[in-house]
């Protein structure tokens, strides 16, 4: 928890998934949010471009990190589904069978990106990160 000077709670932090790593991993996770329409008002390609311009970061390897983010998401979802299937999670309507399909889709997409597929599908509301942008 983060508390204010008077002891009042200002924030509660969940460190379960916290890591110290490459900032491009965080950018990729955000790009996935854009592509999955949770942040549809952002354009993923513009976000990556603006990030590179503001930080000086080389984002040419961003597709790798987007693939990693899909894989990471699949692993997290697999853990959640396994806990539900084991009966150690409350029944809140979560359906592990449906989750298993999403896990497979995320893992397959990660592999496809590593094989050269566009990391942001054209069908998504976010603009695709083109090969030219990856090379620049």
């Amino acid at each position: 928890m983060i508390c204010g000077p008077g002891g009042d709670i200002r924030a509660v932090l969940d460190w379960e998934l916290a890591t110290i790593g490459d900032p491009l991993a965080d950018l990729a996770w955000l790009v996935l949010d854009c592509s999955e329409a949770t942040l549809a008002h952002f354009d993923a390609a513009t976000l990556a471009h603006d990030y590179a311009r503001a930080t000086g970061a080389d984002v040419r390897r961003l597709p790798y990190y987007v693939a990693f983010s899909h894989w990471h998401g699949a692993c997290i979802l697999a853990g959640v589904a396994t806990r539900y299937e084991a009966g150690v999670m409350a029944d809140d309507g979560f359906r592990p069978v449906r989750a298993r399909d999403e896990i497979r889709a995320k893992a397959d997409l990660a592999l496809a990106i590593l094989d050269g597929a566009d990391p942001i599908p054209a069908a998504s509301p976010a603009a695709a990160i083109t090969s030219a942008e990856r090379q620049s």
Side-chain angles (χ1 to χ4, degrees):
M1 287 188 294
I2 297 177
C3 297
D8 58 316
I9 297 173
R10 299 276 177 100
V12 177
L13 306 175
D14 181 357
W15 292 102
E16 180 180 359
L17 300 175
T19 60
I20 298 175
D22 193 314
L24 287 181
D26 293 330
L27 178 60
W29 194 262
L30 181 58
V31 164
L32 283 185
D33 280 346
C34 291
S35 67
E36 293 173 357
T38 56
L39 298 172
H41 56 282
F42 286 103
D43 172 274
T46 301
L47 177 66
H49 178 272
D50 290 349
Y51 178 85
R53 189 183 56 200
T55 65
D58 180 355
V59 296
R60 288 179 290 182
R61 290 190 36 85
L62 186 59
Y64 166 83
Y65 289 97
V66 171
F68 175 78
S69 290
H70 280 293
W71 184 258
H72 185 226
C75 291
I76 291 169
L77 189 53
V80 171
T82 299
R83 289 190 296 277
Y84 269 94
E85 290 166 345
V88 295
M89 303 274 292
D91 184 5
D92 63 356
F94 181 83
R95 297 293 167 249
V97 172
R98 203 172 314 156
R100 295 290 175 194
D101 292 337
E102 186 176 345
I103 292 164
R104 278 187 287 281
K106 285 180 177 295
D108 288 345
L109 187 51
L111 292 173
I113 292 168
L114 292 176
D115 284 338
D118 195 332
I120 309 297
S124 78
I129 298 173
T130 66
S131 296
E133 287 169 315
R134 282 185 235 142
Q135 301 299 320
S136 61

